[in-house]
Every structure is written in structure tokens, then in C-alpha cells.
């Protein structure tokens, strides 16, 4: 296990937060054919690394998350929009 992964696993999410790691798309097919990087799409699937204890409801009772470390989850697709810089004159 790499040092970076060990340090990430030492993080403890608070309340209803979940720490995930994006799963890389396979670059090799089941038949053994290697795919070029241009044809491999970014997956919106991730593996749960750590789960917080859960949030509180209106009565103050703890609501535990329904996922556990090791589960695979779908994450929202992130759109990266480049913003033009504004040059002050």
C-alpha cells in the first residue's frame, strides 16, 4: 500500500460525509486487447474508502449512512468549465 493511500485512509469523514476514490476505466478488454487512451472514457464510479458516523435528524437521532467501506458507488459527473481571466487595466 502506498504512503499516499495510507494517509488518505487515516482521514475520518465527519457526520454524513463519505470519502471515495474514483475507479479507473479498464484499458484492457476481457479478450486481452489493449485500448488506446482516447477510447477509454472516464467512469463515474468510485470505491468507498471511509464513511462518517452519520448525520442527525430533526429529533437529534443519528442516521447512519447506508454504505460501508469497500462498496462501489456512482458519483455525479463533474463538469470542468474554464473561466476567462479578467485583466484589470
Amino acid at each position: 500500500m502506498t504512503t499516499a493511500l495510507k494517509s488518505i485512509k487515516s482521514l475520518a469523514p465527519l457526520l454524513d460525509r463519505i470519502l471515495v476514490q474514483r475507479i479507473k476505466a479498464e484499458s484492457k478488454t476481457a479478450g486481452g486487447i489493449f485500448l488506446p487512451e482516447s477510447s477509454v472514457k472516464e467512469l463515474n464510479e468510485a470505491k468507498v474508502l471511509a464513511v462518517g458516523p452519520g448525520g442527525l435528524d430533526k429529533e437529534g437521532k443519528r442516521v447512519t449512512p447506508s454504505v460501508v467501506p469497500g462498496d462501489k458507488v456512482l458519483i455525479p459527473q463533474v463538469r470542468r468549465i474554464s473561466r476567462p481571466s479578467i485583466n484589470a487595466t
Side-chain angles (χ1 to χ4, degrees):
M1 194 178 311
T2 64
T3 308
L5 192 57
K6 285 181 184 178
S7 63
I8 288 173
K9 287 192 173 195
S10 67
L11 294 173
L14 300 175
L15 297 176
D16 58 348
R17 305 293 182 169
I18 298 170
L19 180 65
V20 297
Q21 180 180 21
R22 186 180 293 269
I23 297 173
K24 288 187 176 182
E26 292 290 328
S27 61
K28 184 177 176 184
T29 64
I33 300 171
F34 287 97
L35 301 172
E37 284 187 31
S38 60
S39 68
V40 177
K41 296 181 181 178
E42 190 173 306
L43 293 177
N44 59 342
E45 189 175 0
K47 180 180 175 185
V48 177
L49 296 178
V51 179
L56 300 174
D57 63 3
K58 292 181 181 179
E59 289 87 37
K61 296 178 184 176
R62 178 122 2 234
V63 179
T64 58
S66 60
V67 295
V68 294
D71 284 353
K72 289 185 180 179
V73 295
L74 294 176
I75 54 176
Q77 196 71 1
V78 179
R79 293 186 182 185
R80 292 179 175 86
I81 300 172
S82 61
R83 295 183 183 170
S85 60
I86 300 173
N87 296 330
T89 56

Tab-separated table of all heavy atoms in Angstrom, residues 13-18 51-66:
chain	number	residue	atom	x	y	z
A	13	PRO	N	-14.075	10.949	7.878
A	13	PRO	CA	-15.136	11.871	7.476
A	13	PRO	C	-16.056	12.201	8.655
A	13	PRO	O	-16.280	11.367	9.534
A	13	PRO	CB	-15.904	11.105	6.400
A	13	PRO	CG	-15.047	9.975	6.015
A	13	PRO	CD	-14.161	9.684	7.165
A	14	LEU	N	-16.571	13.402	8.678
A	14	LEU	CA	-17.488	13.834	9.726
A	14	LEU	C	-18.929	13.704	9.272
A	14	LEU	O	-19.230	13.779	8.081
A	14	LEU	CB	-17.205	15.290	10.105
A	14	LEU	CG	-15.808	15.583	10.640
A	14	LEU	CD1	-15.637	17.075	10.848
A	14	LEU	CD2	-15.564	14.831	11.925
A	15	LEU	N	-19.815	13.485	10.223
A	15	LEU	CA	-21.266	13.412	10.018
A	15	LEU	C	-21.617	12.474	8.862
A	15	LEU	O	-21.277	11.313	8.895
A	15	LEU	CB	-21.838	14.809	9.828
A	15	LEU	CG	-21.664	15.722	11.043
A	15	LEU	CD1	-22.179	17.112	10.734
A	15	LEU	CD2	-22.357	15.154	12.257
A	16	ASP	N	-22.324	12.990	7.857
A	16	ASP	CA	-22.804	12.115	6.783
A	16	ASP	C	-21.896	12.155	5.547
A	16	ASP	O	-22.313	11.812	4.457
A	16	ASP	CB	-24.229	12.478	6.396
A	16	ASP	CG	-24.358	13.922	5.940
A	16	ASP	OD1	-23.404	14.698	6.136
A	16	ASP	OD2	-25.415	14.271	5.396
A	17	ARG	N	-20.656	12.541	5.726
A	17	ARG	CA	-19.712	12.604	4.599
A	17	ARG	C	-19.117	11.238	4.300
A	17	ARG	O	-18.984	10.396	5.175
A	17	ARG	CB	-18.571	13.577	4.899
A	17	ARG	CG	-19.018	14.954	5.267
A	17	ARG	CD	-19.654	15.624	4.096
A	17	ARG	NE	-20.042	16.982	4.484
A	17	ARG	CZ	-20.428	17.890	3.644
A	17	ARG	NH1	-20.510	17.613	2.371
A	17	ARG	NH2	-20.767	19.068	4.061
A	18	ILE	N	-18.733	11.051	3.035
A	18	ILE	CA	-18.173	9.781	2.588
A	18	ILE	C	-16.916	10.080	1.777
A	18	ILE	O	-16.920	10.964	0.910
A	18	ILE	CB	-19.191	9.007	1.725
A	18	ILE	CG1	-20.425	8.685	2.545
A	18	ILE	CG2	-18.585	7.742	1.167
A	18	ILE	CD1	-21.565	8.136	1.738
A	51	VAL	N	-16.404	6.119	5.818
A	51	VAL	CA	-17.765	6.632	5.997
A	51	VAL	C	-17.855	7.301	7.358
A	51	VAL	O	-17.365	6.776	8.353
A	51	VAL	CB	-18.801	5.484	5.913
A	51	VAL	CG1	-20.210	6.004	6.109
A	51	VAL	CG2	-18.685	4.762	4.591
A	52	GLY	N	-18.482	8.479	7.395
A	52	GLY	CA	-18.695	9.180	8.653
A	52	GLY	C	-19.759	8.488	9.488
A	52	GLY	O	-20.460	7.590	9.018
A	53	PRO	N	-19.918	8.908	10.749
A	53	PRO	CA	-20.888	8.255	11.631
A	53	PRO	C	-22.338	8.516	11.263
A	53	PRO	O	-23.227	7.803	11.705
A	53	PRO	CB	-20.564	8.836	13.006
A	53	PRO	CG	-19.892	10.130	12.728
A	53	PRO	CD	-19.163	9.947	11.432
A	54	GLY	N	-22.606	9.506	10.456
A	54	GLY	CA	-23.972	9.800	10.041
A	54	GLY	C	-24.420	11.153	10.548
A	54	GLY	O	-23.867	11.698	11.502
A	55	GLY	N	-25.448	11.682	9.915
A	55	GLY	CA	-25.995	12.975	10.303
A	55	GLY	C	-27.067	12.829	11.375
A	55	GLY	O	-27.398	11.727	11.809
A	56	LEU	N	-27.591	13.964	11.807
A	56	LEU	CA	-28.639	13.972	12.816
A	56	LEU	C	-29.956	14.376	12.169
A	56	LEU	O	-29.996	15.281	11.336
A	56	LEU	CB	-28.289	14.941	13.946
A	56	LEU	CG	-26.992	14.652	14.698
A	56	LEU	CD1	-26.706	15.771	15.685
A	56	LEU	CD2	-27.064	13.323	15.403
A	57	ASP	N	-31.053	13.727	12.569
A	57	ASP	CA	-32.355	14.099	12.050
A	57	ASP	C	-32.961	15.191	12.933
A	57	ASP	O	-32.307	15.724	13.831
A	57	ASP	CB	-33.272	12.880	11.919
A	57	ASP	CG	-33.584	12.219	13.248
A	57	ASP	OD1	-33.143	12.720	14.290
A	57	ASP	OD2	-34.274	11.178	13.234
A	58	LYS	N	-34.227	15.532	12.704
A	58	LYS	CA	-34.877	16.624	13.438
A	58	LYS	C	-35.013	16.351	14.929
A	58	LYS	O	-35.032	17.264	15.739
A	58	LYS	CB	-36.250	16.910	12.833
A	58	LYS	CG	-36.161	17.507	11.457
A	58	LYS	CD	-37.524	17.813	10.891
A	58	LYS	CE	-37.380	18.399	9.499
A	58	LYS	NZ	-38.679	18.702	8.898
A	59	GLU	N	-35.109	15.071	15.302
A	59	GLU	CA	-35.240	14.718	16.718
A	59	GLU	C	-33.884	14.572	17.400
A	59	GLU	O	-33.814	14.301	18.595
A	59	GLU	CB	-36.033	13.417	16.892
A	59	GLU	CG	-37.513	13.526	16.581
A	59	GLU	CD	-37.804	13.301	15.109
A	59	GLU	OE1	-37.130	12.448	14.489
A	59	GLU	OE2	-38.689	13.985	14.583
A	60	GLY	N	-32.800	14.691	16.657
A	60	GLY	CA	-31.467	14.561	17.214
A	60	GLY	C	-30.928	13.140	17.210
A	60	GLY	O	-29.888	12.869	17.797
A	61	LYS	N	-31.628	12.233	16.544
A	61	LYS	CA	-31.164	10.844	16.454
A	61	LYS	C	-30.192	10.707	15.283
A	61	LYS	O	-30.344	11.349	14.250
A	61	LYS	CB	-32.346	9.894	16.250
A	61	LYS	CG	-33.308	9.881	17.409
A	61	LYS	CD	-34.470	8.956	17.126
A	61	LYS	CE	-35.484	9.009	18.257
A	61	LYS	NZ	-36.660	8.193	17.952
A	62	ARG	N	-29.194	9.875	15.463
A	62	ARG	CA	-28.187	9.665	14.424
A	62	ARG	C	-28.741	8.772	13.321
A	62	ARG	O	-29.305	7.717	13.581
A	62	ARG	CB	-26.951	9.016	15.035
A	62	ARG	CG	-25.908	8.744	14.031
A	62	ARG	CD	-24.547	9.332	14.169
A	62	ARG	NE	-24.198	10.145	15.291
A	62	ARG	CZ	-23.689	11.379	15.146
A	62	ARG	NH1	-23.556	11.899	13.952
A	62	ARG	NH2	-23.335	12.069	16.190
A	63	VAL	N	-28.590	9.216	12.084
A	63	VAL	CA	-28.999	8.445	10.903
A	63	VAL	C	-27.722	7.926	10.252
A	63	VAL	O	-26.940	8.697	9.710
A	63	VAL	CB	-29.783	9.315	9.906
A	63	VAL	CG1	-30.172	8.510	8.683
A	63	VAL	CG2	-31.002	9.919	10.571
A	64	THR	N	-27.508	6.612	10.328
A	64	THR	CA	-26.279	6.035	9.785
A	64	THR	C	-26.359	5.928	8.262
A	64	THR	O	-27.417	5.640	7.704
A	64	THR	CB	-26.009	4.641	10.371
A	64	THR	OG1	-27.120	3.799	10.079
A	64	THR	CG2	-25.819	4.713	11.873
A	65	PRO	N	-25.238	6.161	7.573
A	65	PRO	CA	-25.226	6.030	6.111
A	65	PRO	C	-25.466	4.575	5.691
A	65	PRO	O	-25.149	3.640	6.424
A	65	PRO	CB	-23.816	6.470	5.721
A	65	PRO	CG	-23.310	7.245	6.876
A	65	PRO	CD	-23.981	6.685	8.077
A	66	SER	N	-25.994	4.407	4.501
A	66	SER	CA	-26.324	3.064	4.021
A	66	SER	C	-25.165	2.393	3.301
A	66	SER	O	-25.299	1.265	2.856
A	66	SER	CB	-27.537	3.131	3.092
A	66	SER	OG	-27.244	3.966	1.997
